[in-house]
Amino acid sequence: MTAAQPTARIAATGRFLPDRVLTNKELEQMVDTTEEWILERTGIVERRIAPAEMGVTEMGARAAQRALAKAEIDARDIDLLIVTTATPDRWLPSTSCEIQARIGAIGKSAAFDLHAACTGFLYALTMAEGHVAGGRADTVLVVAAEKMTSIIDWDDRSTCILFGDGAGAAIVQRSENGEGILASHHRSDGNFADLLERPAGGAANPLDAEALRAKDHLMKMSGREIFKLAVRRMAGAGRQVLRDAGLKGEDVDLLVPHQANIRIIESTARYSRIPMEKVFVNLNRYGNMSSASIPVALDEAVEQGLVGPGSVVLTAAFGAGLTWGAMALRW
Ligand SMILES: CC(C)(COP(=O)(O)OP(=O)(O)OC[C@H]1O[C@@H](n2cnc3c(N)ncnc32)[C@H](O)[C@@H]1OP(=O)(O)O)[C@@H](O)C(=O)NCCC(=O)NCCS
């Protein structure tokens, strides 16, 4: 989709990462793997683990509060709160309502959850943009919070090495001087639904003793198949938004890709003709935090001065579903 003139911008970002670090070395003691294998095949060195008593409501609320503080916005002035998570604290009610209460965004705000797995933050930004463009909201808070370690099978070496916990947030408001979302592109293909799933615990396959024994309430992934699809889909979406925004690879100041695997990131950058010096990577420190990866990366990139007023940022993501997408922004 093309936006000739941006209508919505990211006014501020925030993040929260739990303190506890889990290193590759520690994983060597837990499953049949090595530090070197994990680093070479994924680019990950360590990841954060939330304590047992901390869920996504708490992590998301803390990221949201940091974004609100930076934008100097009172939580009561939020018109809409969208939360993306694949790991809600409970199935009912929505995590967005729980975060809404936790940060005190009560008054005029509506709140709902959006589930598009790792692509969720980009989907949510586009929803926020639509509400701002349509005049239905002045201030939208988007929160992406994930406790991936709560759905990991710690005996499965092909998945437990990849993921970490964390939360990111963004405040979306009306564009003022031509800054904001230039173009976005979202797709999904449910034919690949079985490649990354939690088979049990839902309406079709409720949790019972047999499901628990088979660990069907935990994440199952066909990593190699996802890898191939991710590179093609993410790179294709990136090229599409650049075309829609009338930009070329060399116009991009920073590529902020979903942080799943360094080899996927490098291929996406190559296809998009963006050198690795212009690619933001924090996967080495956090692993894959699903939908929280991009907002955490954006917040760090702004803090490090890699993104500032006028910067052109390209983001791209893929995840379970399959879902994928990309967005070009002028900061
Ligand atoms: C999971 C992933 C790291 C595996 O890397 P890979 O290079 O594709 O490795 P393969 O799956 O081909 O496995 C190669 C071998 O390494 C083994 N292996 C898997 N995990 C291992 C680990 N942690 N340590 C050591 N060996 C491991 C496999 O068992 C396999 O052994 P085999 O050849 O004897 O069968 C990679 O496929 C990946 O990152 N996929 C994308 C996953 C993803 O991003 N999912 C989230 C979507 S948002």
Side-chain angles (χ1 to χ4, degrees), residues 208-244:
D208 57 16
E210 180 44 40
L212 281 173
R213 243 191 321 274
K215 295 190 179 182
D216 278 346
H217 59 302
L218 300 175
M219 184 199 302
K220 316 264 181 208
M221 182 179 78
S222 306
R224 205 177 308 184
E225 287 76 5
I226 293 211
F227 189 105
K228 283 186 239 153
L229 288 161
V231 171
R232 283 203 295 270
R233 300 292 196 271
M234 237 181 18
R239 277 201 304 262
Q240 183 66 47
V241 288
L242 287 182
R243 265 197 302 275
D244 288 347

Side-chain angles (χ1 to χ4, degrees), residues 126-147:
T126 301
M127 293 293 296
E129 178 194 26
H131 278 266
V132 169
R136 292 181 298 276
D138 292 324
T139 300
V140 183
L141 172 61
V142 175
V143 179
E146 307 279 9
K147 190 173 182 179

Side-chain angles (χ1 to χ4, degrees), residues 16-31 33-51 59 146-150 152-154 156-167 219 259-262 282-290 293 296 300:
F16 173 79
L17 282 319
D19 293 333
R20 162 86 165 96
V21 173
L22 179 70
T23 63
N24 289 351
K25 191 86 198 152
E26 286 172 88
L27 281 164
E28 277 185 356
Q29 313 303 316
M30 297 164 66
V31 283
T33 192
T34 62
E35 264 186 294
E36 297 72 31
W37 193 96
I38 302 173
L39 181 60
E40 266 171 35
R41 310 293 273 198
T42 72
I44 300 167
V45 176
E46 59 189 39
R47 69 288 290 143
R48 300 298 178 94
I49 308 283
M59 287 193 282
E146 307 279 9
K147 190 173 182 179
M148 299 307 288
T149 59
S150 68
I152 278 174
D153 176 356
W154 290 103
D156 177 2
R157 66 176 183 174
S158 66
T159 54
C160 75
I161 57 156
L162 293 174
F163 296 93
D165 303 332
M219 184 199 302
Q259 309 280 316
N261 184 312
I262 192 67
N282 61 10
L283 164 87
N284 51 327
R285 289 179 284 128
Y286 304 137
N288 182 346
M289 297 182 287
S290 190
S293 283
V296 167
E300 289 194 335

Side-chain angles (χ1 to χ4, degrees), residues 46-63:
E46 59 189 39
R47 69 288 290 143
R48 300 298 178 94
I49 308 283
E53 69 278 8
M54 183 182 281
V56 290
T57 300
E58 187 58 28
M59 287 193 282
R62 294 196 196 186

Side-chain angles (χ1 to χ4, degrees), residues 265-316:
I265 292 175
E266 284 167 354
S267 301
T268 306
R270 206 165 39 247
Y271 279 114
S272 309
R273 298 207 175 79
I274 295 170
M276 280 305 286
E277 306 85 77
K278 287 187 173 184
V279 181
F280 191 84
V281 177
N282 61 10
L283 164 87
N284 51 327
R285 289 179 284 128
Y286 304 137
N288 182 346
M289 297 182 287
S290 190
S291 71
S293 283
I294 288 181
V296 167
L298 280 174
D299 192 51
E300 289 194 335
V302 171
E303 201 169 273
Q304 291 170 23
L306 299 169
V307 171
S311 300
V312 172
V313 178
L314 176 66
T315 69

Side-chain angles (χ1 to χ4, degrees), residues 312-329:
V312 172
V313 178
L314 176 66
T315 69
F318 71 94
L322 287 176
T323 58
W324 65 96
M327 180 176 279
L329 304 105

